[in-house]
Amino acid sequence: MRRLLDVGAASLACVVLSPLMLLIAVAIRADDGSPIFFRQVRVGRGLRHFTILKFRTMKWDPAAAPQGGTAGSLAEKKAARAAFRTTVPGDSRITRVGRFLRSTHLDELPQLLNVLRGDMSLVGVRPDTPAQEVDYQDGYWEERHALRPGITGPAQVYANEGGLEERVTLERRWLSHPALGAYVRFLVATIGKVFRRSSF
């Protein structure tokens, strides 16, 4: 049932939002050139790797290696994680259009295509890069990939300032009981947050 809702809702959203997505693509091109999309390897259901899509919000540097990487060994993952540079308020790498897209979460819209392809669900735990395996306790990495990752999920809706521990607690609650009612509540709550332009 969740998959049927994913496909139906994502298909409808792609049709309804296609003029907006085209406008965003034109704005990105005019502001900072190509590429329009940001692509990165993430880990999905059953630990399968896939390429996540977002509208690009940062200045394009063709020489920069994709952060998070596709590291294989534990040592490689630790090295990749240590080199991972997160964005901070006022980050100089974020473009003018990118600031708006991030504040409104419109940069996430291309992930509707990931949903249609079966890589993701509308609701689930957010997909991490392979290198982020080192952030979690033994065993949880496999547990959090028992279901498709989501565009939004419990941690994005309900997490406060508890950090990784709070996020894992919320994720485990969803993973152990991914009820349809909770799925709908997370979607409604996410739409409310987006309209309020609150931060995830």
Side-chain angles (χ1 to χ4, degrees), residues 87-159:
T87 56
V88 295
D91 197 311
S92 61
R93 296 174 297 165
I94 300 175
T95 65
R96 291 175 299 174
V97 171
R99 282 194 293 272
F100 172 77
L101 295 178
R102 282 172 173 258
S103 69
T104 56
H105 309 295
L106 293 175
D107 59 316
E108 310 283 356
L109 286 179
Q111 288 166 55
L112 292 169
L113 299 177
N114 286 117
V115 173
L116 293 177
R117 290 195 312 204
D119 300 325
M120 298 176 65
S121 172
L122 293 176
V123 174
V125 301
R126 284 295 296 167
D128 283 336
T129 66
Q132 287 176 278
E133 179 180 354
V134 301
D135 292 347
Y136 300 100
Q137 294 181 349
D138 292 343
Y140 182 60
W141 186 246
E142 290 77 13
E143 180 184 343
R144 81 187 305 271
H145 295 103
L147 302 174
R148 287 186 180 89
I151 295 179
T152 187
Q156 286 65 49
V157 172
Y158 295 122

Side-chain angles (χ1 to χ4, degrees), residues 12 45 77 82 128 152 160:
L12 179 61
R45 185 179 185 180
K77 289 173 182 175
D128 283 336
T152 187
N160 295 311

Side-chain angles (χ1 to χ4, degrees), residues 7-182:
V7 172
S11 299
L12 179 61
C14 282
V15 172
V16 173
L17 297 174
S18 57
L20 174 60
M21 290 193 282
L22 178 60
L23 182 62
I24 291 171
V26 170
I28 292 172
R29 181 67 181 270
D31 183 40
D32 195 53
S34 295
I36 302 302
F37 297 107
F38 168 76
R39 294 174 170 86
Q40 188 179 54
V41 173
R42 298 291 178 96
V43 183
R45 185 179 185 180
L47 302 179
R48 183 178 64 85
H49 289 187
F50 70 96
T51 300
I52 198 171
L53 295 173
K54 294 186 179 185
F55 281 123
R56 183 171 61 86
T57 61
M58 303 178 73
K59 295 176 182 177
W60 175 239
D61 180 5
Q67 294 198 32
T70 58
S73 70
L74 182 59
E76 288 173 327
K77 289 173 182 175
K78 287 182 177 180
R81 189 67 177 111
F84 194 94
R85 182 182 173 190
T86 57
T87 56
V88 295
D91 197 311
S92 61
R93 296 174 297 165
I94 300 175
T95 65
R96 291 175 299 174
V97 171
R99 282 194 293 272
F100 172 77
L101 295 178
R102 282 172 173 258
S103 69
T104 56
H105 309 295
L106 293 175
D107 59 316
E108 310 283 356
L109 286 179
Q111 288 166 55
L112 292 169
L113 299 177
N114 286 117
V115 173
L116 293 177
R117 290 195 312 204
D119 300 325
M120 298 176 65
S121 172
L122 293 176
V123 174
V125 301
R126 284 295 296 167
D128 283 336
T129 66
Q132 287 176 278
E133 179 180 354
V134 301
D135 292 347
Y136 300 100
Q137 294 181 349
D138 292 343
Y140 182 60
W141 186 246
E142 290 77 13
E143 180 184 343
R144 81 187 305 271
H145 295 103
L147 302 174
R148 287 186 180 89
I151 295 179
T152 187
Q156 286 65 49
V157 172
Y158 295 122
N160 295 311
E161 301 297 330
L164 182 62
E165 184 177 350
E166 180 189 19
R167 182 159 65 87
V168 169
T169 298
L170 291 167
E171 289 175 351
R172 277 187 159 142
R173 194 175 301 161
W174 161 256
L175 290 167
S176 65
H177 190 61
L180 188 59

